[in-house]
Amino acid sequence: LIGDELRRHGADVQILPATGRAEHTAAHPRVNVVGRHHGAAAQAPAIHLNGHFDVVPVGLGWTRDPFGAEIADGRLYGRGACDMKAGLAAAVYAAAAIRRAGVTTAAPIEVSGTVDEESGGFAGVAWLAEHGILSRERTKAVIIPEPFGVDRICIGHRGV
């Protein structure tokens, strides 16, 4: 779905199974997606927007279907709606809006949807780095629209 949406907005898309990772199995495939909108300097390092699409287990206490994506009173209720489907959707549509506005960026803009963030990121962002998709040569900066609050912009990342 993410790859289809990126393609619809003109990105070149790679679907990248996390082969070689223990987390990636036939029963539970771990598949990442990267879309690239080329800039004026197509080979320049990209601005990379990343979001994960895995979630932690549902847990107790839900009063609505956690996988129902119910909209009520102007709010979307569902597992992962905030962490971090909304941030990933914002990244996809921000890149699309730049393109739709006719703006040619100097650097390419990449958007990735990755797996496994909630359990360490080894089959997700780490796999992209191990395979050179994210690297000093290919990537100028990474923006992760993870929900920290409406007034927080952080440099760096905690955790693995």
Side-chain angles (χ1 to χ4, degrees):
L1 178 69
I2 295 166
D4 289 345
E5 197 63 17
L6 287 164
R7 269 189 211 94
R8 195 167 78 76
H9 296 290
D12 292 335
V13 173
Q14 295 177 283
I15 304 297
L16 302 163
T19 54
R21 293 297 315 166
E23 298 86 347
H24 177 70
T25 65
H28 300 284
R30 300 294 185 254
V31 180
N32 302 292
V33 60
V34 177
R36 185 177 177 96
H37 296 272
H38 296 284
Q43 299 306 313
I47 303 299
H48 190 101
L49 296 104
N50 167 263
H52 65 91
F53 50 82
D54 62 323
V55 296
V56 295
V58 172
L60 303 173
W62 284 85
T63 58
R64 302 172 192 272
D65 177 359
F67 297 106
E70 179 183 339
I71 297 175
D73 300 322
R75 293 179 181 235
L76 172 67
Y77 293 87
R79 189 76 206 100
C82 177
D83 182 17
M84 92 164 271
K85 308 313 172 285
L88 182 52
V92 169
Y93 291 108
I98 291 169
R99 182 178 172 89
R100 195 171 50 248
V103 175
T104 301
T105 58
I109 296 176
E110 291 180 339
V111 178
S112 65
T114 54
V115 298
D116 195 38
E117 187 270 353
E118 297 292 359
S119 55
F122 300 108
V125 170
W127 189 92
L128 294 180
E130 289 167 4
H131 289 83
I133 307 298
L134 290 172
S135 69
R136 287 179 191 222
E137 297 75 33
R138 288 191 80 253
T139 313
K140 182 176 184 75
V142 176
I143 300 169
I144 302 174
E146 183 87 19
F148 284 121
V150 297
D151 61 350
R152 286 192 63 198
I153 296 176
C154 301
I155 298 174
H157 191 278
R158 65 176 189 249
V160 179

